[in-house]
Amino acid sequence: MGDPEKLPAYDIRDVKILIVDGNKHMRHLLKQILHVFAVRNLREADDALTGFKEFKEFKPDIVLTEWELTPMDGADFVRMIRRAEDSPNPMASIIMITAYTEATVVATARDCGINEFLAKPISPNRLYRRIAALIDRPRPFIRSKTYVGPCRHRRKIDDYDGPRRRESDADDIFVID
C-alpha cells in the first residue's frame, strides 16, 4: 500500500467506531477524519472506564485508543476488552494511536492484543491505511491462558513443519477464525 491514490476504496460508513482518548482535541481530530471517511456511527470517551462502559453499550467494530489513559493505561484498557467476562466483543479490532513509540510500548501494546499501532502525529492517509489493514490482512484470533487477541505473527509461513518456536508455546491455544 504505497501510493495514496492506490488505497482501496472501502465503504466504512456503517462501521461502528469508539474513540477513547483523554485529549478532547485529539478526539475531535479523529472524529473529523472519520467523518471525511463517511463514518456515521461514532462514540467517544475520555477515560478507560467510560470507554469500557461505551464499549459494552455501543458494541463497536473498531476501537481507537490512546496509550496514556486514566485511571488505567491503554494496555490495561485493551486487556479489559479482550479478557473481561462482561466484554461483549473480545474480538473487536483495536488500533492504538499514541505518541509513545518506544519499543517497549509498541511491544506491550502488541502483547496486550491490539490489531494495529499508529504513531502520532497522525494523518487521514495513515489512519485509513490502518483501517484498511484490518480489512485487507485480518489475522486469526488467538485465545490462550496468557494471550487473547489477534495472532501476533504478521507473516504466514505455510510450509513450516518444525518444532515449536518457544518453550512457552502453550498446548491450550485456540485459534478462532
Side-chain angles (χ1 to χ4, degrees):
M1 296 177 75
D3 190 4
E5 288 77 37
K6 298 197 185 214
L7 287 173
Y10 291 115
D11 180 357
I12 59 172
R13 70 182 132 193
D14 292 324
V15 173
K16 294 167 67 174
I17 299 179
L18 172 64
I19 301 166
V20 183
D21 194 310
N23 184 311
K24 69 179 180 178
H25 301 293
M26 188 64 195
R27 289 193 314 271
H28 179 74
L29 175 63
L30 287 168
K31 286 190 307 187
Q32 294 303 311
I33 291 170
L34 292 167
H35 284 302
V36 169
F37 299 161
V39 174
R40 301 182 290 207
N41 298 311
L42 291 171
R43 290 224 187 142
E44 63 181 278
D46 63 357
D47 66 66
L49 293 179
T50 306
F52 192 65
K53 181 181 175 210
E54 286 290 335
F55 180 78
K56 291 192 304 186
E57 291 174 8
F58 184 50
K59 299 178 180 70
D61 304 301
I62 299 174
V63 177
L64 306 179
T65 188
E66 165 63 69
W67 174 263
E68 187 71 27
L69 293 176
T70 60
M72 65 186 76
D73 65 22
D76 288 332
F77 174 63
V78 172
R79 286 184 195 101
M80 190 182 322
I81 289 172
R82 296 291 189 224
R83 298 177 183 189
E85 287 187 26
D86 59 341
S87 178
N89 184 9
M91 294 171 47
S93 294
I94 301 173
I95 301 174
M96 178 78 63
I97 302 174
T98 187
Y100 296 92
T101 59
E102 297 86 358
T104 56
V105 171
V106 176
T108 301
R110 178 203 63 209
D111 292 345
C112 70
I114 66 162
N115 296 74
E116 295 291 330
F117 190 94
L118 179 57
K120 292 179 182 176
I122 68 164
S123 70
N125 184 286
R126 292 176 65 219
L127 178 58
Y128 190 83
R129 286 174 184 277
R130 294 313 182 285
I131 294 170
L134 299 173
I135 298 165
D136 290 337
R137 296 183 307 277
R139 292 180 279 154
F141 198 80
I142 307 293
R143 183 181 303 271
S144 74
K145 287 181 183 176
T146 59
Y147 177 76
V148 178
C151 179
R152 293 175 281 194
H153 301 286
R154 294 232 179 230
R155 291 180 296 147
K156 188 175 181 184
I157 305 171
D158 290 327
D159 60 345
Y160 181 75
D161 193 26
R164 293 183 191 189
R165 296 176 62 178
R166 295 168 203 86
E167 286 278 326
S168 63
D169 283 351
D171 290 327
D172 64 340
I173 294 176
F174 301 97
V175 177
I176 305 165
D177 282 321

